Amino acid sequence: MRTLILFMVCSIALSLGVELKAQSVILNGRVVDARTNEIIPFVNIGVINARQGTSSNENGEFVIKTDSLPLELVFSHLNYERRGILINDESSILVKLIPASQVLDAITVRGRKRKGYIEKLVSKVYHKSLRSNDVQYGKAFYRQKSKNDSLYSELYEIFYDTKFTNQGLKEWEVQEGRYAINLHKVDRNQLVNRNFTLLSKILTTVLPPTDDVIMPIHPEVRERYSYEIKEVRKLGDREVAILDFVPLKYHEVPAFEGEVYVDINSYDVLRVKGKIADDRLKFVKLTKGGYWKNYQIDYEIAFKDEDSNLLLDYIRVDQSFDFYRDDQFQFPVETNSWLTFYEYYEPKRNKRLGGRLRFRKSDAAVLDQLGYSSEFWEENPIVKRTPVEEEVIAAFESQKAFGTIYLNNQKQIVLEKKDLLKDPFINEMRFNFTQTSKKQEKAYLHLDKPFYTSGEDIWYSAYIVDASTHNNDVESSVLYTELIDTDLKVISHQALKIEEGVARGDIHLPDSLPTGKYRIRAYTNWMLNFDPSFFYDKEVAIYNANGLPVDPVELERDISMGFFPEGGDMIAGMVNRVAFKVVDQTGKGIEVKGEVFNSQHKSVSKIESKHLGMGSFFILPQSGETYYAKVKYGDIEETFSLPESDSSGFVLKVNNQMPNTVILTVEASPGHNEETFYLVGQCRGKIYHESKEIITEGGMLIEIPKGKLPDGISHITLFDKDGSPRAERLVFIDHQQDHEVEFFPDKESYKPREAVSVNFKITDSDGLPVKGQFSLAVTDRHQIVKDSNQDNINSFLLVTSDLKGVIEEPGSYFLADDKEALQNLDLLMLTQGWRRFAWSSVMENKSPIIRSEAEKEGLTVLGVAIDPSDKTPLADADISALFFSDSKPLTGSFMTDRLGKFEIGGLHFRDTAIMFFN
């Protein structure tokens, strides 16, 4: 799937507003031109003595609900005379509007004088717009439809609480919303507009906050446009000049062409209508593959007079282009959106809809909590649906395709677009990250059973993958496996040939092997260059039926407790979330309850573990104060000290419970207000997210779409203005792209030792066949019971292999995707995944020291040749070698260096080999 996204940052629109109430009387009607009988779209329809109403749709139709009749409606449009109608019954309404009269001689200046007049007019309009603080509030409805070729691919409907000025939208907050994207029956190359809503916000009457587009109302209009006054109209008490602007051709930056309606006395902008037809537009782009031709945006924003106030009426944004890939035309793409206001109000005090971000919820969070309610949308047709929209909605509802929406924030867009690519820290960090990152490998062993008896064989298939991508394109050709006893003695060591990322082997268990818990470890020579705690390491139980029984060891119960502040540090004076983990002397998690106390022994928080000894609590630490926790397990009560809090810093909180976005709350102590900070998201050695933000009023709310992050553990790190890491959080992403496996045996039942033939089918989440390497273990189900809580290749690659230490019951985190399972997995990220920052080597551009090269062509033998008589090295000696093993004998020769050292590579043989040198 190809995705069209506006810019690349995150949402800050916030919480739920006033619920819309169903009415008892429904009125339907249509608005047409009184002279031509042509439909008039986007007519504002208000209720007399009330600041509410609706608008006509693109077919000129409208619907409005009321408690009772009669009802007086007023119809207004910039190109038509205002009209009021008294409605006494529920019959269909036909409204005819008379075109506005034209004033012919209000301005008759020509030539340079006329140009000078327009320049002064534009300058006064521009500066008044920037100085104006006339903030208004209103409720608006947004509808968007998108097409790929002739097929409708998207539908969005959203109710907003908004804050606006004479420039356009300033802040907005979702009240209710739904969207649907048709991904089931559309070509996989389709394009979708996940963030198209932003254009309604970022495009304004004057130059928007981006250097990538030019608007007509601009202080340098003379250098950028050819312009004229088309006409002047009398609209109520206003004299309105219609200015026509055509961009000069030599400009490199795309510019709007069109009309601007300006009050020549008050210098208010009443309407902007224009288009950009330019393939060079930058602030809209394709994120993956392909390109466009014939790109065009049509834009319209209109205001209206009401009670001596200039109110925003509607914003319309349409987009179209031809999509190409590999120089081949694919299909046309079209998107139509319309934001219309149906109610205006005056709050008791100035309210924020997107400025104060702490403890507020994102659009996605609000909509996810509300869920999709078909009854709500049936009861609230603020704007009458056209027959096409009814058909599209019905089709999406039948597919159960409606979900929630992810919106971005205008301020973040501007910051990222203008500053991020040029930022010295980001560029240095990218460069160092590339220079210091070395390709790593992971190994996973699929064992045939969870436990064994002495005298058996451990059969296994090994999968070796690139640690970053989890693909099998690895350079190593040899895998080493070891069986280690309880005394850490290696009792079996094997070297296996890797072919296409797969190796297969078996370990024979001697009859004399005593009962105990053993470890199987696997690694490549290249993996020796990195932390050995990330080797494949699994505990297996081995029983000896003929050996002496092992008496259980009685251990005194002992518990330990670790505290892990979210983000890394506790900051005084701020609410902190602190995770904890309680384990016994064997390292197993245990469930506890307790409280947190300050130095005066006053309880400040409750403690209760939720899963395998893990849990979390909130605390507001005070500067200079110390805290301790008292917990109880059975009849054992223990006291543990909490880490000290810092007097200044950042708090990074994460909500990873939403299906589509990761929501981050960044708060700072007072000394860091208005400071710049950076967020970097990386997963397995690759950077997937970068953003540059400014702390406002102590905190910010930021969303990272999960579609930007791969499956597995992502590290979200906060850097301060100096580029020093100050907070970090691990989050787990699961796009639920597991394969489906079906087995088809040739018979329903079998006799003992009868041959069994089984076919199987493996498909991806879209039902398409999967090609790959697979292994199958067959055991007696009456003797071997599968434990779904234990590790599997999915939990290992995505979780266990990227965390240090033993992960208890790793498979349990993938058995369900409900809220409890997600919370348990997040606790694992907070505790087992907690770490202090390890960015010093990256920022200092220090690469890991490579001591062991990857064995790319088979086994390598290293050694030193010495003279047996005097033990001196045989320098520059020509030596012949003969290798005997179960496979074909190998012969060859090699030269030693000046120290007698030699290296023989590219060896391939099975089992033990005997070497002869001459």
Side-chain angles (χ1 to χ4, degrees):
M1 178 184 72
R2 304 296 184 187
T3 304
L4 177 65
I5 300 181
L6 303 185
F7 307 97
M8 296 175 61
V9 288
C10 313
S11 170
I12 306 189
L14 308 169
S15 80
L16 178 62
V18 179
E19 182 179 346
L20 299 171
K21 297 181 180 179
Q23 307 294 332
S24 55
V25 179
I26 300 177
L27 303 174
N28 288 276
R30 187 162 55 97
V31 187
V32 299
D33 188 299
R35 294 178 182 175
T36 65
N37 283 323
E38 294 179 351
I39 62 170
I40 309 177
F42 315 132
V43 175
N44 187 280
I45 306 165
V47 180
I48 293 294
N49 299 323
R51 304 185 79 185
Q52 64 185 41
T54 184
S55 297
S56 63
N57 63 19
E58 58 192 277
N59 290 345
E61 302 166 328
F62 67 89
V63 60
I64 192 165
K65 291 186 177 183
T66 182
D67 288 323
S68 61
L69 295 176
L71 183 71
E72 191 171 0
L73 302 179
V74 59
F75 297 79
S76 60
H77 190 284
L78 272 177
N79 291 338
Y80 295 86
E81 294 182 1
R82 187 182 181 101
R83 183 182 178 187
I85 297 179
L86 181 64
I87 308 299
N88 292 304
D89 56 47
E90 299 182 29
S91 58
S92 180
I93 308 165
L94 178 62
V95 181
K96 295 186 177 183
L97 298 185
I98 300 173
S101 60
Q102 182 173 337
V103 179
L104 298 176
D105 298 323
I107 300 176
T108 57
V109 292
R110 299 179 183 277
R112 293 182 180 177
K113 188 177 180 180
R114 188 176 183 183
K115 295 292 185 183
Y117 176 84
I118 299 176
E119 290 172 16
K120 291 180 181 178
L121 180 61
V122 170
S123 177
K124 290 179 179 179
V125 169
Y126 177 79
H127 288 98
K128 178 181 180 179
S129 179
L130 294 184
R131 292 193 302 267
S132 175
N133 292 316
D134 185 17
V135 176
Q136 303 286 340
Y137 293 85
K139 303 296 180 66
F141 176 69
Y142 177 89
R143 181 176 287 153
Q144 173 193 322
K145 304 186 298 291
S146 301
K147 276 185 178 181
N148 280 205
D149 203 353
S150 61
L151 183 64
Y152 281 94
S153 53
E154 292 174 281
L155 176 77
Y156 291 77
E157 291 186 315
I158 310 168
F159 286 94
Y160 285 114
D161 192 3
T162 72
K163 184 177 182 179
F164 61 88
T165 66
N166 58 347
Q167 295 182 38
L169 287 174
K170 287 299 181 184
E171 299 173 2
W172 60 10
E173 184 173 274
V174 170
Q175 290 189 299
E176 179 70 74
R178 65 175 179 178
Y179 81 101
I181 299 177
N182 187 358
L183 299 179
H184 303 292
K185 299 181 180 179
V186 183
D187 183 83
R188 293 169 71 86
N189 295 324
Q190 79 156 335
L191 301 180
V192 293
N193 303 272
R194 296 185 187 276
N195 298 312
F196 195 80
T197 51
L198 280 173
L199 281 181
S200 297
K201 189 175 183 183
I202 199 169
L203 294 176
T204 57
T205 57
V206 298
L207 182 68
T210 173
D211 295 332
D212 295 326
V213 66
I214 298 172
M215 299 289 283
I217 304 301
H218 192 285
E220 299 174 359
V221 63
R222 184 176 182 180
E223 291 77 27
R224 299 177 182 274
Y225 282 91
S226 171
Y227 43 84
E228 66 176 350
I229 295 180
K230 293 177 61 176
E231 60 186 47
V232 176
R233 293 178 179 174
K234 187 74 172 176
L235 299 176
D237 296 331
R238 294 181 180 268
E239 287 186 320
V240 178
I242 302 177
L243 310 181
D244 186 66
F245 294 84
V246 178
L248 298 176
K249 295 183 178 179
Y250 59 82
H251 284 296
E252 296 182 358
V253 180
F256 265 93
E257 173 185 359
E259 298 176 341
V260 180
Y261 287 53
V262 174
D263 186 318
I264 60 178
N265 299 310
S266 67
Y267 310 119
D268 289 327
V269 177
L270 302 180
R271 184 184 186 188
V272 177
K273 182 180 181 182
K275 66 179 180 180
I276 294 181
D278 198 318
D279 290 344
R280 301 171 302 168
L281 199 65
K282 294 181 180 179
F283 65 74
V284 183
K285 67 179 182 179
L286 295 169
T287 58
K288 295 182 180 179
Y291 58 94
W292 57 48
K293 288 184 180 180
N294 305 318
Y295 185 87
Q296 180 169 310
I297 281 183
D298 289 278
Y299 171 67
E300 185 176 4
I301 181 171
F303 293 79
K304 67 171 185 174
D305 274 321
E306 185 168 315
D307 300 331
S308 301
N309 290 319
L310 192 64
L311 302 176
L312 184 54
D313 192 353
Y314 63 87
I315 300 174
R316 180 180 59 84
V317 185
D318 297 336
Q319 170 191 264
S320 63
F321 59 88
D322 294 326
F323 178 57
Y324 283 75
R325 182 182 292 111
D326 300 327
D327 295 327
Q328 296 293 320
F329 171 72
Q330 302 295 315
F331 46 79
V333 177
E334 178 182 344
T335 301
N336 309 108
S337 73
W338 179 34
L339 180 78
T340 183
F341 283 74
Y342 62 89
E343 181 180 349
Y344 304 92
Y345 69 97
E346 296 178 3
K348 294 182 179 179
R349 61 181 182 276
N350 185 30
K351 61 188 253 185
R352 295 180 179 271
L353 301 177
R356 186 174 181 81
L357 301 173
R358 287 193 297 171
F359 314 117
R360 303 286 233 120
K361 296 175 181 177
S362 69
D363 293 326
V366 171
L367 294 173
D368 285 336
Q369 285 185 343
L370 293 174
Y372 175 61
S373 170
S374 59
E375 291 78 13
F376 176 91
W377 295 100
E378 291 171 359
E379 294 295 322
N380 289 283
I382 293 298
V383 178
K384 186 176 179 64
R385 299 171 184 144
T386 66
V388 169
E389 289 166 344
E390 292 282 7
E391 182 180 347
V392 173
I393 290 171
F396 281 149
E397 284 187 330
S398 67
Q399 298 176 24
K400 297 182 178 180
F402 279 104
T404 57
I405 186 172
Y406 168 80
L407 297 174
N408 283 338
N409 172 267
Q410 178 182 358
K411 185 175 181 180
Q412 289 177 294
I413 291 171
V414 176
L415 285 172
E416 183 176 54
K417 183 61 184 175
K418 295 182 66 174
D419 299 336
L420 194 58
L421 299 180
K422 302 176 183 178
D423 188 87
F425 166 74
I426 292 293
N427 285 326
E428 180 185 7
M429 187 268 298
R430 286 176 178 168
F431 177 79
N432 291 349
F433 208 85
T434 303
Q435 294 296 309
T436 59
S437 295
K438 296 294 183 181
K439 186 174 182 179
Q440 298 187 36
E441 297 172 341
K442 292 180 180 179
Y444 174 78
L445 268 56
H446 177 197
L447 306 182
D448 62 328
K449 293 194 300 184
F451 57 86
Y452 300 88
T453 59
S454 301
E456 285 188 318
D457 291 304
I458 299 177
W459 297 92
Y460 61 91
S461 292
Y463 296 90
I464 301 86
V465 298
D466 181 302
S468 178
T469 64
H470 291 166
N471 293 328
N472 63 353
D473 54 343
V474 293
E475 295 185 351
S476 294
S477 65
V478 179
L479 177 72
Y480 298 97
T481 62
E482 298 172 339
L483 182 65
I484 304 170
D485 65 15
T486 53
D487 296 326
L488 303 183
K489 178 183 177 182
V490 176
I491 58 177
S492 174
H493 179 86
Q494 294 180 335
L496 304 177
K497 183 179 181 179
I498 301 172
E499 295 181 292
E500 297 183 354
V502 178
R504 294 176 178 85
D506 64 281
I507 302 172
H508 180 70
L509 304 177
D511 293 336
S512 58
L513 205 63
T515 297
K517 291 186 177 180
Y518 295 74
R519 290 166 47 211
I520 296 180
R521 183 167 62 188
Y523 56 90
T524 64
N525 206 47
W526 180 250
M527 292 169 66
L528 293 174
N529 295 302
F530 309 100
D531 193 333
S533 62
F534 295 109
F535 291 178
Y536 176 83
D537 199 321
K538 182 178 179 63
E539 182 181 86
V540 294
I542 298 176
Y543 302 93
N544 190 324
N546 298 321
L548 296 175
V550 177
D551 295 327
V553 178
E554 291 290 338
L555 296 175
E556 293 185 6
R557 286 186 295 177
D558 187 22
I559 64 174
S560 60
M561 187 175 190
F563 298 97
F564 311 94
E566 185 173 21
D569 295 306
M570 283 204 311
I571 307 299
M574 303 175 69
V575 176
N576 293 250
R577 183 187 182 191
V578 179
F580 63 87
K581 185 171 185 178
V582 185
V583 297
D584 61 15
Q585 68 274 13
T586 67
K588 301 296 184 182
I590 57 175
E591 307 307 323
V592 298
K593 289 184 178 182
E595 294 181 84
V596 176
F597 300 89
N598 60 17
S599 58
Q600 286 75 43
H601 311 297
K602 180 181 178 181
S603 176
V604 296
S605 187
K606 301 289 185 180
I607 287 180
E608 183 176 1
S609 57
K610 298 297 183 183
H611 180 68
L612 299 175
M614 298 180 290
S616 68
F617 58 89
F618 290 93
I619 185 174
L620 179 60
Q622 302 301 319
S623 181
E625 181 65 278
T626 59
Y627 300 88
Y628 66 92
K630 184 180 291 185
V631 296
K632 192 171 184 179
Y633 166 59
D635 56 355
I636 298 177
E637 187 174 81
E638 294 282 355
T639 299
F640 302 93
S641 297
L642 269 68
E644 295 183 0
S645 60
D646 291 341
S647 60
S648 175
F650 298 84
V651 171
L652 176 61
K653 299 176 184 177
V654 170
N655 178 0
N656 193 25
Q657 306 301 306
M658 300 299 106
N660 300 320
T661 59
V662 178
I663 303 172
L664 297 91
T665 304
V666 179
E667 299 173 18
S669 50
H672 297 285
N673 283 344
E674 305 303 324
E675 281 188 3
T676 297
F677 69 92
Y678 303 89
L679 282 175
V680 177
Q682 61 94 7
C683 179
R684 300 188 293 268
K686 286 190 176 182
I687 295 175
Y688 291 90
H689 172 82
E690 300 158 323
S691 62
K692 180 181 178 181
E693 320 290 349
I694 295 178
I695 289 284
T696 58
E697 299 186 18
M700 288 196 73
L701 187 70
I702 301 160
E703 291 190 35
I704 301 177
K706 291 185 178 180
K708 292 179 64 175
L709 304 174
D711 285 313
I713 298 174
S714 287
H715 299 245
I716 311 296
T717 307
L718 183 150
F719 295 85
D720 64 19
K721 60 183 176 61
D722 299 319
S724 299
R726 300 297 299 273
E728 186 171 84
R729 178 67 147 82
L730 271 61
V731 297
F732 183 80
I733 304 298
D734 184 4
H735 295 298
Q736 297 183 351
Q737 296 178 333
D738 296 340
H739 296 160
E740 296 290 335
V741 183
E742 295 180 83
F743 288 94
F744 306 96
D746 59 340
K747 296 175 61 177
E748 292 186 0
S749 61
Y750 300 90
K751 298 177 180 179
R753 299 190 176 277
E754 182 180 2
V756 177
S757 176
V758 178
N759 292 325
F760 62 90
K761 178 182 179 181
I762 302 179
T763 56
D764 62 16
S765 56
D766 294 327
L768 300 176
V770 174
K771 180 181 179 180
Q773 301 274 8
F774 308 95
S775 55
L776 174 68
V778 181
T779 58
D780 189 332
R781 69 174 182 178
H782 297 294
Q783 297 183 18
I784 305 297
V785 178
K786 180 181 178 181
D787 186 355
S788 299
N789 290 327
Q790 297 308 306
D791 223 348
N792 53 58
I793 192 169
N794 194 40
S795 62
F796 176 80
L797 292 180
L798 296 181
V799 176
T800 312
S801 59
D802 289 332
L803 298 177
K804 289 186 176 182
V806 177
I807 308 300
E808 218 177 329
E809 300 182 3
S812 64
Y813 299 105
F814 296 86
L815 295 179
D817 59 356
D818 56 20
K819 185 176 181 180
E820 183 179 358
L822 294 175
Q823 290 175 344
N824 292 341
L825 187 53
D826 198 52
L827 284 173
L828 183 68
M829 298 297 104
L830 281 164
T831 54
Q832 199 87 15
W834 188 92
R835 63 173 189 167
R836 291 295 290 147
F837 321 115
W839 282 88
S840 57
S841 60
V842 173
M843 302 315 297
E844 295 172 9
N845 201 13
K846 292 182 179 179
S847 298
I849 299 175
I850 302 302
R851 297 184 176 88
S852 301
E853 295 296 331
E855 296 173 298
K856 300 180 181 181
E857 302 296 333
L859 289 167
T860 299
V861 174
L862 305 175
V864 177
I866 59 175
D867 188 317
S869 60
D870 57 8
K871 308 299 182 182
T872 58
L874 293 175
D876 302 318
D878 186 4
I879 298 177
S880 299
L882 177 63
F883 295 79
F884 282 102
S885 71
D886 290 346
S887 56
K888 183 178 179 180
L890 301 175
T891 61
S893 61
F894 58 88
M895 292 288 297
T896 63
D897 63 12
R898 60 186 181 85
L899 299 177
K901 295 181 179 180
F902 64 87
E903 178 178 327
I904 309 172
L907 301 175
H908 296 282
F909 49 78
R910 294 181 60 82
D911 211 339
T912 305
I914 301 174
M915 308 180 187
F916 294 92
F917 299 96
N918 184 29

